[in-house]
Amino acid sequence: METTDDKMERRLYSHDLAPLPKEMDLIFKTMPDQVVRPAYTEDVVQIVRKAIATNKPIVPRGAGSWGLGGSVPVKGGITIDMTGMSKIISIDETNLVVTVQPGITWNALSEALDAKGLFLPCYPSSAPSATLGGWIATGGTGIGAFKYGSAGDLIRDMEIVLPTGIVVHTGDKLVPQNGGGPNLNWLFVGSEGTMGIVTEVTFSVLPKPEELRPVSYSLDALTTFQPALKKLVRSGVAPMHIMLGDRLHFDYLRAIGKHVPEVGCLITMALTGTKAYVDMEEKVIDDIMASVGAKKESKETAQHEWSERSYEFRVRELGVGAIPGEILVPIDRMNVVLEGTAKLIKQLKMNAPIIGTVADNNTIMLMPYYLADEHKLVASTAAMGFAKRLGDLAFENGGRPVGLGIFFAGNLAKYRGKEGAHLIRNLKDMLDPYGIMNPGKMVETGTRYGISMPAFLMNFGMHMMGSVKRILPRDKIGQKELAKLKK
Ligand SMILES: Cc1cc2nc3c(=O)[nH]c(=O)nc-3n(C[C@H](O)[C@H](O)[C@H](O)COP(=O)(O)OP(=O)(O)OC[C@H]3O[C@@H](n4cnc5c(N)ncnc54)[C@H](O)[C@@H]3O)c2cc1C
């Protein structure tokens, strides 16, 4: 097991995808005191025991590709970098399950499966860097979820080191967990690294489909897609993945010189199965998309978009960070939410492209993103008010924002109600009696002083950040490049 106290190295662990302005250090101690890289479960057990003995917080971390501060300490302590635990323990071709350490990236696992004629049914689009453990802890949706289910649906079993140092298994390696008590897999899915550390995962896989065929359709506006999507989810066809991007997203990509067709808004789907089955699905989808006036794009465009599926945030080249606001909303409310989002973007004087995926047969995930400069304290923190208001828009429409992390713990009661949030806090206290496991997240917004910010204050503060954003000058990042493009 490697350990480092080196300041430069520790600094690298003081942020995730969304960089925080350095002034935030007044509230949070984001730099860990120590970073450890375990190789085995026993190493993790030792770290937990040491944390209990010295009363130090521990923060599990994968690739740091989440944007809500889940893997960033709020009061220092020990960051456990899980990326060293990246071994494939077994690939069981007979039973179609794979057992791995949690620090493996989705791409590394996918390549190993591919070599054996197997296929990962679902993975996040951050697959080149994101780890299995990180995705499980965030309870993500992703590529393949529409047809095959999300992260949690595909887990057979996990080994977890609890905050007391006890090691438990949550399921059965070869069969799903039906009955026989509550499903423990789901207790840890989405628990954001606050209830236990995933040290081993057994995941369901599939034989590689005979054909994986991307198809793309362009539209004038994302709202035009809603009636088609409603038909599609009732048609009996099931694309593996459905992803969308609006005109501004593709304009930004062109502005940074990427090869992008001039398409307006684009919907790309990936179809899997035998060749005959995929031919049939393509025909049904062509008809549905034609019924809303969508134009079918070339095979090359579809293939290009599919190969770019993991690189949605390439426009980060234009600004310091692309901070996404991610919401899940019922497909029936998609257009109301898209219109509300456009209004919000205008009010807050932002430039925010919208990308998204279809999560399941009644849910769409929308992810507007914007470029923020973390060196400008007011502008960058004020822009977080957008994520808060976007979340509220989702709640108003029967959906919800995705993830709590440091800043949105105040939403827990909105998700689950007062009593439900109380139950989750009690579970956390029971599993983590010493309060060492990633404290100050999910169930509370902790600070470096050990005092939590009251949820109402945090919610009010986030809302007010939106009001500040309204009176600031319009965002400028990327505008020069866009103007050049239009000349
Ligand atoms: C380009 C891009 C595309 C993305 N696409 C998707 C997508 O399609 N779907 C999606 O859901 N998200 C997506 N994300 C968000 C992010 O990549 C995912 O949430 C990812 O799964 C996080 O994995 P990670 O290894 O980076 O975890 P980290 O960011 O390091 O950690 C995330 C959380 O997991 C906890 N954690 C990490 N490892 C463990 C462990 N072993 N045990 C317990 N807790 C742990 C951390 O404490 C933290 O709370 C995307 C991000 C980017 C940049």
Side-chain angles (χ1 to χ4, degrees):
M1 172 165 58
E2 282 175 45
T3 301
T4 179
D5 299 333
D6 180 77
K7 196 169 175 186
M8 276 305 285
E9 272 201 71
R10 286 186 290 128
R11 194 176 290 286
L12 296 174
Y13 291 84
S14 65
H15 66 84
D16 59 8
L17 171 73
L20 289 173
K22 66 178 182 330
E23 289 82 354
M24 282 283 175
D25 280 355
L26 290 172
I27 307 172
F28 308 114
K29 187 178 174 199
T30 54
M31 207 192 320
D33 302 310
Q34 198 175 54
V35 176
V36 288
R37 297 186 189 99
Y40 303 101
T41 302
E42 192 44 44
D43 297 339
V44 177
V45 172
Q46 271 183 37
I47 299 165
V48 172
R49 287 197 184 134
K50 182 177 155 200
I52 295 169
T54 55
N55 193 25
K56 287 238 180 214
I58 41 178
V59 180
R61 180 176 174 108
S65 69
W66 203 39
L68 295 176
S71 58
V72 178
V74 297
K75 45 180 188 173
I78 307 166
T79 289
I80 311 182
D81 177 343
M82 298 298 291
T83 55
M85 289 184 66
S86 58
K87 288 188 198 60
I88 296 177
I89 297 166
S90 65
I91 297 180
D92 181 343
E93 292 172 68
T94 312
N95 294 296
L96 297 174
V97 289
V98 57
T99 300
V100 293
Q101 287 188 312
I104 192 168
T105 65
W106 291 94
N107 267 13
L109 177 57
S110 176
E111 277 164 26
L113 291 173
D114 193 62
K116 293 197 176 285
L118 296 173
F119 170 75
L120 261 181
C122 183
Y123 50 90
S125 57
S126 47
S129 61
T131 66
L132 261 79
W135 198 42
I136 290 166
T138 54
T141 178
I143 295 168
F146 184 78
K147 184 166 184 173
Y148 303 113
S150 74
D153 299 312
L154 296 160
I155 297 168
R156 288 282 192 239
D157 176 47
M158 284 186 288
E159 179 188 75
I160 306 272
V161 177
L162 296 176
T164 47
I166 292 168
V167 181
V168 293
H169 274 262
T170 54
D172 305 286
K173 283 198 189 324
L174 298 185
V175 290
Q177 210 193 343
N178 296 86
N183 189 325
L184 285 187
N185 289 334
W186 279 101
L187 178 62
F188 295 96
V189 173
S191 66
E192 303 190 356
T194 66
M195 291 190 172
I197 301 176
V198 184
T199 47
E200 193 184 291
V201 192
T202 299
F203 206 71
S204 206
V205 296
L206 287 172
K208 217 159 52 174
E210 183 184 308
E211 179 111 359
L212 190 162
R213 188 184 305 165
V215 285
S216 287
Y217 305 87
S218 56
L219 294 160
D220 265 3
L222 287 183
T223 44
T224 313
F225 183 46
Q226 189 199 37
L229 185 54
K230 282 183 170 175
K231 277 189 201 163
L232 193 152
V233 298
R234 286 164 176 79
S235 67
V237 300
M240 169 192 180
H241 189 51
I242 308 174
M243 59 189 184
L244 39 121
D246 72 358
R247 186 181 295 272
L248 183 57
H249 174 66
F250 293 104
D251 280 352
Y252 265 152
L253 287 171
R254 265 197 300 281
I256 56 168
K258 297 294 166 205
H259 166 71
V260 182
E262 298 229 7
V263 285
C265 303
L266 198 68
I267 316 291
T268 297
M269 304 186 202
L271 314 179
T272 50
T274 60
K275 185 178 176 307
Y277 181 79
V278 169
D279 285 345
M280 180 278 291
E281 279 203 329
E282 185 173 359
K283 169 89 188 60
V284 173
I285 294 168
D286 281 352
D287 290 347
I288 292 173
M289 294 303 283
S291 73
V292 295
K295 174 175 170 274
K296 188 161 188 190
E297 293 293 330
S298 67
K299 281 184 186 160
E300 292 70 32
T301 298
Q303 195 54 55
H304 176 265
E305 286 311 301
W306 180 244
S307 62
E308 283 288 302
R309 68 193 179 284
S310 287
Y311 305 101
E312 308 103 308
F313 295 135
R314 284 201 193 275
V315 305
R316 275 163 70 96
E317 286 177 27
L318 286 174
V320 180
I323 307 170
E326 188 180 342
I327 52 173
L328 291 171
V329 285
I331 288 169
D332 188 45
R333 305 298 291 168
M334 170 181 166
N335 282 2
V336 177
V337 172
L338 280 171
E339 280 152 18
T341 306
K343 215 162 121 193
L344 197 57
I345 291 169
K346 199 166 164 210
Q347 271 173 356
L348 270 55
K349 300 185 192 152
M350 300 169 72
N351 308 297
I354 299 177
I355 54 177
T357 65
V358 182
D360 67 18
N361 68 352
N362 81 331
T363 315
I364 184 146
M365 188 276 286
L366 295 171
M367 194 193 278
Y369 66 89
Y370 50 90
L371 299 165
D373 182 348
E374 101 262 32
H375 299 301
K376 291 191 176 149
L377 173 69
V378 179
S380 70
T381 48
M384 284 163 67
F386 170 74
K388 162 77 174 67
R389 291 177 185 216
L390 182 74
D392 290 344
L393 180 66
F395 281 126
E396 283 158 26
N397 286 283
R400 63 178 180 87
V402 180
L404 296 159
I406 305 181
F407 302 104
F408 295 101
N411 277 340
L412 186 66
K414 285 197 186 171
Y415 284 4
R416 298 285 163 259
K418 207 169 139 212
E419 295 307 327
H422 187 62
L423 173 67
I424 294 172
R425 282 192 199 101
N426 281 346
L427 283 170
K428 160 79 175 150
D429 289 347
M430 189 198 67
L431 289 166
D432 185 15
Y434 308 105
I436 52 151
M437 184 69 71
N438 213 349
K441 320 262 177 77
M442 196 179 80
V443 293
E444 58 169 343
T445 296
T447 63
R448 62 183 304 152
Y449 312 105
I451 309 161
S452 293
M453 285 196 227
F456 79 89
L457 192 64
M458 197 63 200
N459 277 337
F460 177 72
M462 296 293 270
H463 192 81
M464 287 315 289
M465 283 182 196
S467 303
V468 172
K469 184 77 188 69
R470 282 179 86 152
I471 51 176
L472 290 175
R474 170 162 281 285
D475 285 349
K476 292 202 180 67
I477 302 177
Q479 295 317 291
K480 248 193 282 164
E481 290 82 353
L482 277 182
K484 260 193 229 156
L485 183 77
K486 282 180 185 147
K487 267 184 202 162

